[in-house]
Amino acid sequence: MMTSLSTTAPPGGGDRPPPRPGGGGPQAFDTVRDLPIGLSHDVRVYGCRRLNRILADTQMLYGLYKKHHWLVHGATFHQLHLLFDEHAGEQAAIVDALAERVRSLGGVPVGDPRHAAEITAVPRPPDGVEEVPAMLSRLLRAHEAILADARDAAARLASLGDDGGNDLVVSGVIRTGEAQVWSLSEHLVDVPPAHM
């Protein structure tokens, strides 16, 4: 049901803005309020659900980057310490963009890390310090899972006419993720066998 905005003055004076589409009050997670953005209710519900899943995974990836930024050690400490922090910052920007897209569709973004942890597909890392190759592998596996889901989501969003959601997933999640995977994989060392 589409709620139309009134262009006439409200009763009792013209100093109040028209009512907010979808009404006021708290909004529950996994609900979508009416917004006149030219997408059907069903498309907006689908978009919010898919973007929230990517949002939860991206929040976990951000957390992995910060954990590894703090705990990296060894000969490549300085280089990886800076790289992990740079990648975390880029993921934080994606988190914000995804959350704002969910809001622009009329939905409620997954905002609590505990809630995100319940719906993410990114496995929880061990609580302690890992060796650097394990850190890199864990980050690469998280990226791969997010990228696979993002590609599927982008195609589905495009087929439903949600060009804004598709653009965000392709331009933000996929392109940034691919660049970060490339950068991370350059730090993996393939040791050729010794010939004697």
Side-chain angles (χ1 to χ4, degrees), residues 31-32 44 48 51 80 86 94-95 98 109 117 135 154 166 170 190:
T31 64
V32 175
R44 290 182 300 109
C48 288
L51 293 174
L80 288 175
E86 176 186 328
I94 294 170
V95 164
L98 287 165
M135 291 178 179
N166 168 274
V170 171
D190 291 328

Side-chain angles (χ1 to χ4, degrees), residues 37-119:
I37 62 170
L39 292 173
S40 73
H41 177 81
D42 290 345
V43 168
R44 290 182 300 109
V45 166
Y46 178 82
C48 288
R49 288 180 178 160
R50 282 308 293 266
L51 293 174
N52 263 325
R53 191 164 65 217
I54 296 169
L55 174 58
D57 291 342
T58 304
Q59 289 178 45
M60 295 303 110
L61 180 58
Y62 166 80
L64 278 177
Y65 270 117
K66 290 308 284 187
K67 174 184 166 97
H68 296 330
H69 163 74
W70 297 319
L71 300 179
V72 69
H73 52 90
T76 58
F77 163 78
H78 185 73
Q79 189 176 16
L80 288 175
H81 180 73
L82 296 176
L83 180 68
F84 292 163
D85 202 39
E86 176 186 328
H87 284 196
E90 291 169 353
Q91 291 299 320
I94 294 170
V95 164
D96 193 54
L98 287 165
E100 289 178 357
R101 179 63 188 169
V102 170
R103 289 300 290 156
S104 74
L105 292 171
V108 178
V110 58
D112 184 329
R114 296 166 296 186
H115 186 192
E118 293 172 0
I119 62 176

